[in-house]
Amino acid sequence: MHSSLSLSFSSSTAIPRSGYSSELSCAAPPSPLNLRFCGLRREALGFSSPKRNDSRRVVVSSRGRSTKVSASVSENGSAPKAFDYDLVIIGAGVGGHGAALHAVEKGLKTAIIEGDVVGGTCVNRGCVPSKALLAVSGRMRELQSEHHLKALGLQVSAAGYDRQGVADHANNLASKIRNNLTNSMKALGVDILTGVGTILGPQKVKYGKVGFSENVITAKNIIIATGSVPLVPRGIEVDGKTVITSDHALKLEFVPDWIAIVGSGYIGLEFSDVYTALGSEVTFIEALDQLMPGFDPEIGKLAQRVLINPRKIDYHTGVFASKITPAKDGKPVRIELIDAKTKEPKDALEVDAALIATGRAPFTNGLGLENINVVTQRGFVPVDERMRVLDADGNLVPHLYCIGDANGKMMLAHAASAQGISVVEQVTGKDHVLNHLSIPAACFTHPEISMVGLTEPQAREKAEKEGFEVSVAKTSFKANTKALAENEGEGLAKLIYRPDNGEILGVHIFGLHAADLIHEASNAIALGTRIQDIKFAVHAHPTLSEVLDELFKSAKVHAHVPSPVSEPVTV
Amino acid sequence: MSQLLHLGTSFVPSSSTALRRNPTSSPTIHISGNKRTTIQAKIREIFMPALSSTMTEGKIVSWVKSEGDKLSKGESVVVVESDKADMDVETFYDGYLAAIMVEEGGVAAVGSAIALLAETEDEIAEARSKANTSPSSSSPSPAAAEAPEKAVGAPEKAAPVKAAATVTVAKMASSAHPASEGGKRIVASPYAKKLAKELNVDLGNVVGSGPMGRIVAKDVEAAAAAGVSVAAEDPKPSPSSAPVKVPASTGIELGTVVPFTTMQGAVSRNMVDSLAVPTFRVGYTITTDALDALYKKIKSKGVTMTALLAKATALALVKHPVVNSSCRDGKSFTYNSSINIAVAVAIDGGLITPVLQDADKVDIYSLSRKWKELVDKARAKQLQPHEYTTGTFTLSNLGMFGVDRFDAILPPGTGAIMAVGASEPTVVATKDGRIGMKSQMQVNVTADHRVIYGADLASFLQTLAKIIEDPKDLTF
């Protein structure tokens, strides 16, 4: 694929055409821009494999694109310091994938090393299969909610499900997305190298499967994107059957009558939604004093009233699960609880299964960080705001970056991808710092929770320190036509902003399709759009997006604040 | 005995409010009531706030605080749902949340009282009685509000309780829970716990049928139904044969088919379940002249006939512990450690069984006061689960309707239930060959024959008859 495309581009050179030439012959004119795929392929052209570099140099120099790129290429094969790749990414999760795609777009010769399966946690053991399960749970909830159906005038006889069918759906979705990811990278000419990647020294990486010969490659820049694994606290024995992590739960090998979920963050909440919809009863075990820590308290409170209290869920807060023993010999799973503060034994639970959703631990062992004097902090690779890796003395390690869960800045797939893109921008000569406060997050319960920026307490703390005013505006889904048409009026959107200049500090949404609604706010934060401007943007009626429209309109920004978007434009 | 003295000096039998004793209040409460005139000012009402300009009424989403909690100014007390959103409502004063007048899920008009705030702990009880006597204009549910006072002549007045929405529960005698450690720990699934709270079922008395003896939702439903089943077959206790006004039947549309309410469904299931228990019945006629005489004598001290009967039954049970036992799994049975007499009280739309705990040990005066208190609490819907689920033996009385004999269905989970008929003047032949008039009542005990045999009941009834016919032991 790669070579054939090169050939077609370099039609003006002496290389004979391949079988693809007829399809692409129309591209014979000097500019390759009207070729199909050209937007994606033209960079790949300059950097095909070293074996054919004699012909390639002609092409590159003739096109005269980025000097930096041609420099690296001209080194290739001639200078002693030749790199096999411009960019090597260790880990083909969503972060690595995002970085690879952007690298290709920027004209970098890119390889990605993956020791397991392409797609990483998100695609194989995280966001993707869980969305499949949540899609099922959402429908089950609808079909089981007699009251809701009746209100819509619908009649449905008892809804049931086939566990294996549900599990297959999740598994099929994961493999579909995994193939899409793999194909998209292959199609772009990213080399996918199989094996565990280890950093040998500056700009040098080895990879290889256990028991096979190892390959050493050099790269101008290296991105660590090894992600994370479920965190299992001490004292908890995971057997993969009755005491499980999200990795096992997503396979949905059984639906227990009663499952304890340790941790009430995103993962725990989503699984509680799945399990209760499939008929399980759930007990949350949360170390902090309130459920759903990390969410805006007001949203958390409302979410608890909707997602927890009316469901078959109870909870213990302020306790640690100090010991969890899997079920065996006819005995149930036993969980010992101790007080989170005093560490005194508090209670014990006997349940059918326990899901450990206490968070995720970075997967950075065996990366060879010691070879470059980098010491992890609780497993996380220390980085600066540009994702540049810091060594044990706090100095920058040149040409080495770390993105995603492995650096722990924001453990979200799309954050990793954004960080990867930011790194590629930097290595191609454009300074870029990612604003993490503009990265949205979502929890796909029914209804969904989404957020971007600061929570109210965080905003108030910041305001106190920096001496500005904070205001809060709220709108309810009860006032939204579309939500009411769906008979899903439960929900709240909350805007935290600065009334003095109209800056959006945070937006939190709990309600129907909240995860899809948040982007108007996250884009506004990313682009620095102020409330006084965005409130004039028009939303289609009737849509759920009007919840945000209302929200922006209900904010009260001081009148004297100038608005840059004030010039009327006639069209 | 101090309580007894107390009664002798300041007790006013005709005043039912003075009788109300609250467990949390000091025993002097009914004295202080008259002395303090400033009390009313210290008890503040918490009003349904107007949370938006268009709001006319608000729904109580949840009480953040419970009765008895200390509040400080500015603290959230209740979450109210307006037409727009749910909001926390804060208190403007320090104090104690004395009484909640509109329960969760209830709706109240803007400006109406939803709770009472007492300034000091001592005033909580005062505030509660105030809340009971002057119920908020807007009640939790329309059904609860209309419960009419259609109770009856009997001295202790088993009053109707607002209970259209309250599912009542009878006891399932106490024994060690299979999945618990010596009964200390109750293993119940999350939904079972939730249901138990909703249906006011004490999980300590529910037998679990789930894995490892865990209590699951259907056990709680069954327990709730067991409580209701008592209601199903016997309305109202009152040993006196005083004539009773039967409440006029309310508007029932004839010829309509009415689906079971949840409670009726539970009763129905439970009635069918009761067929699994092999029961039998033994009757006895007891002369009550001596009991009636005793009652007349100590009535002025607040003693009620229900308490006398419960006391007599408890004393008889002391001598026949097997009648106070219960069998649940068909393999073993439990000699219950306390004698807790549950007395069925009819309420509108059902029945509740307040329990006189340790009726064998408590003196008759305390027992009578306890009974009044339980009835008052039942009326105010304030009975705690342990006050109506812990009975080990049930008394049911239809005497006030003039019923002379009937039999009761045994509530699953208990050993025996006694149906008490009216005490009526009867012409009897005595052993010395004369004919005379005696007041006699018929009792009929239904028991679980797996554990209680005919001879057990017979000797129990003989003992009971002896106690009632020579009641001096009842007053100690």
Side-chain angles (χ1 to χ4, degrees):
Chain A
M1 195 63 179
H2 189 167
S3 62
S4 67
L5 278 166
S6 303
L7 286 171
S8 66
F9 284 137
S10 48
S11 56
S12 59
T13 68
I15 295 166
R17 297 187 173 210
S18 74
Y20 290 85
S21 56
S22 60
E23 185 194 347
L24 297 163
S25 56
C26 62
S31 164
L33 287 175
N34 55 350
L35 276 180
R36 286 204 280 155
F37 311 118
C38 58
L40 297 172
R41 302 304 132 84
R42 61 185 172 197
E43 271 79 44
L45 172 62
F47 310 99
S48 51
S49 68
K51 285 171 238 152
R52 302 194 295 104
N53 58 3
D54 42 353
S55 71
R56 188 169 16 89
R57 208 184 293 163
V58 181
V59 179
V60 170
S61 51
S62 74
R63 298 189 50 205
R65 287 187 53 92
S66 155
T67 49
K68 200 172 180 177
V69 172
S70 37
S72 86
V73 171
S74 56
E75 277 173 351
N76 198 2
S78 56
K81 188 123 178 87
F83 292 108
D84 297 327
Y85 292 98
D86 293 316
L87 181 65
V88 164
I89 301 159
I90 307 175
V94 169
H97 177 257
L101 258 54
H102 194 62
V104 171
E105 192 187 322
K106 285 285 172 184
L108 302 186
K109 176 168 157 53
T110 307
I112 197 159
I113 301 175
E114 178 55 60
D116 189 18
V117 283
V118 169
T121 297
C122 173
V123 172
N124 299 294
R125 298 172 301 271
C127 352
V128 170
S130 67
K131 295 303 99 50
L133 298 183
L134 283 158
V136 172
S137 79
R139 280 178 174 73
M140 277 302 279
R141 270 187 206 294
E142 274 174 35
L143 295 174
Q144 285 167 345
S145 172
E146 237 173 87
H147 175 72
H148 186 205
L149 291 170
K150 218 169 158 186
L152 294 171
L154 289 177
Q155 287 171 345
V156 174
S157 57
Y161 69 94
D162 161 37
R163 183 200 56 77
Q164 193 55 50
V166 178
D168 289 347
H169 172 52
N171 193 33
N172 293 343
L173 178 69
S175 48
K176 189 178 285 172
I177 303 292
R178 184 165 61 233
N179 290 338
N180 288 351
L181 234 60
T182 312
N183 292 339
S184 70
M185 290 197 290
K186 277 188 183 158
L188 290 183
V190 175
D191 286 349
I192 300 174
L193 311 174
T194 309
V196 178
T198 306
I199 296 166
L200 294 176
Q203 299 174 303
K204 195 184 282 182
V205 181
K206 73 168 183 189
Y207 70 94
K209 281 184 179 163
V210 181
F212 289 87
S213 64
E214 285 173 341
N215 305 294
V216 176
I217 49 170
T218 56
K220 191 162 189 312
N221 289 293
I222 299 170
I223 296 179
I224 299 169
T226 45
S228 60
V229 290
L231 170 72
V232 178
R234 263 186 308 142
I236 297 176
E237 191 188 325
V238 171
D239 71 347
K241 294 196 166 55
T242 56
V243 179
I244 57 178
T245 66
S246 54
D247 289 1
H248 312 105
L250 289 165
K251 293 182 188 145
L252 201 73
E253 277 169 356
F254 93 120
V255 178
D257 289 343
W258 183 4
I259 184 163
I261 299 181
V262 186
S264 65
Y266 297 75
I267 306 175
L269 261 186
E270 291 191 356
F271 275 109
S272 79
D273 195 285
V274 171
Y275 279 117
T276 51
L278 298 184
S280 301
E281 295 177 33
V282 169
T283 296
F284 270 122
I285 297 166
E286 173 57 56
L288 297 179
D289 285 334
Q290 67 175 57
L291 289 175
M292 293 182 258
F295 292 90
D296 182 87
E298 198 172 351
I299 296 285
K301 220 168 167 184
L302 178 63
Q304 180 170 340
R305 285 213 299 272
V306 175
L307 300 176
I308 299 199
N309 294 349
R311 295 186 182 170
K312 295 175 180 179
I313 302 176
D314 70 349
Y315 49 86
H316 299 260
T317 52
V319 291
F320 283 130
S322 59
K323 189 162 185 276
I324 301 185
T325 326
K328 55 182 158 221
D329 308 329
K331 285 199 168 139
V333 176
R334 192 177 160 82
I335 304 176
E336 278 164 35
L337 301 177
I338 57 168
D339 191 290
K341 290 189 192 83
T342 64
K343 311 288 179 218
E344 308 247 326
K346 215 167 165 191
D347 207 344
L349 295 174
E350 282 160 9
V351 296
D352 300 318
L355 169 66
I356 313 305
T358 42
R360 299 188 62 85
F363 181 60
T364 50
N365 275 346
L367 253 178
L369 293 170
E370 61 284 354
N371 301 332
I372 44 167
N373 190 30
V374 170
V375 179
T376 59
Q377 289 160 3
R378 290 179 301 123
F380 293 108
V381 177
V383 292
D384 71 354
E385 76 281 358
R386 288 178 172 80
M387 310 303 139
R388 295 180 290 195
V389 175
L390 302 168
D391 69 11
D393 309 319
N395 301 318
L396 291 176
V397 178
H399 307 296
L400 184 64
Y401 301 82
C402 177
I403 61 167
D405 290 5
N407 72 29
K409 271 189 183 286
M410 199 178 209
M411 297 175 83
L412 294 167
H414 49 276
S417 186
Q419 290 170 357
I421 289 166
S422 170
V423 168
V424 170
E425 284 290 303
Q426 291 170 57
V427 304
T428 51
K430 190 182 162 210
D431 190 25
H432 188 269
V433 177
L434 179 64
N435 177 10
H436 282 88
L437 288 176
S438 73
I439 299 180
C443 185
F444 295 82
T445 44
H446 296 94
E448 295 169 343
I449 311 171
S450 64
M451 70 210 73
V452 65
L454 303 174
T455 63
E456 190 178 338
Q458 284 169 343
R460 295 213 181 272
E461 199 189 315
K462 190 177 176 203
E464 186 108 340
K465 251 188 240 156
E466 297 177 15
F468 59 83
E469 225 184 304
V470 167
S471 289
V472 172
K474 286 180 238 175
T475 53
S476 165
F477 278 64
K478 280 196 185 85
N480 181 276
T481 311
K482 190 72 188 307
L484 291 177
E486 301 280 343
N487 212 357
E488 304 267 9
E490 197 95 58
L492 173 77
K494 177 175 174 181
L495 167 69
I496 301 148
Y497 65 102
R498 282 180 68 158
D500 56 344
N501 62 9
E503 183 188 347
I504 301 170
L505 300 172
V507 173
H508 302 264
I509 310 174
F510 174 73
L512 187 63
H513 295 309
D516 291 309
L517 293 177
I518 196 69
H519 300 99
E520 185 169 6
S522 62
N523 289 351
I525 293 178
L527 303 176
T529 314
R530 300 294 161 106
I531 294 167
Q532 58 270 32
D533 301 325
I534 203 169
K535 72 199 290 185
F536 291 112
V538 181
H539 297 69
H541 176 76
T543 56
L544 291 172
S545 300
E546 289 172 295
V547 170
L548 283 176
D549 189 25
E550 285 265 312
L551 190 62
F552 294 133
K553 288 193 166 115
S554 64
K556 293 195 171 45
V557 179
H558 295 164
H560 56 81
V561 179
S563 166
V565 190
S566 50
E567 291 302 308
V569 181
T570 49
V571 195
Chain B
M1 269 336 254
S2 65
Q3 282 174 325
L4 178 59
L5 276 172
H6 208 95
L7 277 170
T9 51
S10 62
F11 189 78
V12 186
S14 61
S15 158
S16 69
T17 49
L19 274 165
R20 181 176 297 113
R21 285 175 65 242
N22 197 296
T24 58
S25 66
S26 74
T28 57
I29 187 69
H30 57 279
I31 300 177
S32 58
N34 299 333
K35 288 182 188 167
R36 282 192 225 154
T37 47
T38 53
I39 277 176
Q40 295 302 322
K42 299 277 182 64
I43 297 169
R44 297 189 164 94
E45 288 177 329
I46 297 175
F47 297 110
M48 172 62 72
L51 299 174
S52 73
S53 53
T54 52
M55 175 173 167
T56 54
E57 57 174 31
K59 182 177 169 192
I60 307 288
V61 175
S62 65
W63 283 98
V64 181
K65 301 284 176 179
S66 7
E67 285 187 340
D69 283 0
K70 194 175 187 317
L71 308 175
S72 34
K73 193 178 166 183
E75 247 184 313
S76 293
V77 183
V78 61
V79 182
V80 169
E81 183 181 88
S82 73
D83 52 343
K84 294 266 159 57
D86 296 355
M87 304 229 196
D88 284 6
V89 176
E90 297 167 354
T91 168
F92 297 113
Y93 304 98
D94 292 342
Y96 293 86
L97 183 58
I100 287 173
M101 295 160 80
V102 181
E103 296 294 330
E104 289 183 7
V107 173
V110 168
S112 66
I114 53 174
L116 293 179
L117 185 72
E119 194 164 66
T120 65
E121 228 165 329
D122 298 342
E123 287 155 4
I124 293 177
E126 203 68 29
R128 278 190 192 164
S129 59
K130 192 182 165 211
N132 293 338
T133 49
S134 61
S136 172
S137 58
S138 45
S139 40
S141 70
E146 66 196 24
E149 285 283 327
K150 54 183 164 191
V152 277
E156 70 274 38
K157 222 182 210 181
V161 176
K162 305 195 279 188
T166 318
V167 175
T168 61
V169 174
K171 77 273 113 185
M172 307 275 295
S174 47
S175 76
H177 188 276
S180 63
E181 287 146 3
K184 272 181 287 181
R185 207 161 68 77
I186 294 161
V187 179
S189 81
Y191 186 43
K193 280 184 209 153
K194 229 162 236 189
L195 263 184
K197 206 174 154 198
E198 245 166 57
L199 302 174
N200 280 334
V201 172
D202 180 5
L203 286 172
N205 296 327
V206 176
V207 179
S209 68
M212 313 297 294
R214 170 195 308 164
I215 299 170
V216 293
K218 72 178 163 67
D219 301 328
V220 176
E221 279 164 357
V228 174
S229 79
V230 183
E233 109 272 343
D234 44 22
K236 177 152 312 193
S238 167
S240 87
S241 47
V244 172
K245 269 191 283 173
V246 178
S249 65
T250 44
I252 291 167
E253 226 179 295
L254 299 177
T256 49
V257 176
V258 184
F260 276 167
T261 60
T262 316
M263 188 201 245
Q264 287 165 329
V267 170
S268 166
R269 266 199 308 282
N270 209 57
M271 287 301 89
V272 174
D273 286 352
S274 75
L275 296 176
V277 179
T279 54
F280 72 111
R281 291 150 184 90
V282 175
Y284 210 99
T285 302
I286 300 173
T287 303
T288 59
D289 288 326
L291 187 71
D292 292 343
L294 176 70
Y295 174 60
K296 220 169 263 170
K297 213 167 81 191
I298 55 177
K299 192 175 155 188
S300 61
K301 292 178 185 172
V303 173
T304 66
M305 186 54 96
T306 298
L308 280 171
L309 273 176
K311 183 76 191 170
T313 309
L315 290 178
L317 286 172
V318 171
K319 293 180 184 158
H320 304 275
V322 73
V323 184
N324 194 44
S325 71
S326 50
C327 166
R328 284 194 219 113
D329 55 4
K331 291 175 203 138
S332 63
F333 67 106
T334 311
Y335 285 113
N336 292 306
S337 48
S338 332
I339 295 175
N340 297 338
I341 307 290
V343 185
V345 178
I347 51 174
D348 189 35
L351 162 154
I352 198 156
T353 54
V355 173
L356 289 163
Q357 284 172 334
D358 291 316
D360 56 323
K361 298 195 183 81
V362 179
D363 70 77
I364 187 65
Y365 304 101
S366 304
L367 207 60
S368 301
R369 266 175 300 155
K370 183 77 194 168
W371 179 244
K372 287 256 188 212
E373 179 198 320
L374 287 171
V375 170
D376 284 342
K377 279 173 105 174
R379 192 180 296 163
K381 271 172 69 180
Q382 285 175 344
L383 278 183
Q384 298 301 307
H386 71 269
E387 290 172 319
Y388 60 84
T389 61
T390 51
T392 57
F393 183 98
T394 313
L395 272 186
S396 179
N397 190 333
L398 291 180
M400 67 294 234
F401 293 105
V403 168
D404 63 346
R405 62 188 174 272
F406 69 105
D407 76 57
I409 295 180
L410 182 66
T414 61
I417 178 169
M418 183 159 80
V420 181
S423 173
E424 286 175 333
T426 313
V427 180
V428 283
T430 56
K431 280 182 185 149
D432 54 12
R434 295 203 289 200
I435 294 172
M437 288 284 279
K438 284 185 178 184
S439 282
Q440 288 191 327
M441 71 174 181
Q442 293 190 43
V443 298
N444 192 7
V445 182
T446 306
D448 181 349
H449 206 300
R450 289 175 300 180
V451 287
I452 303 164
Y453 301 163
D456 296 329
L457 276 194
S459 55
F460 161 74
L461 285 168
Q462 195 175 24
T463 308
L464 178 66
K466 262 188 202 145
I467 291 169
I468 289 176
E469 284 162 13
D470 183 11
K472 62 180 185 308
D473 288 346
L474 295 182
T475 52
F476 281 32

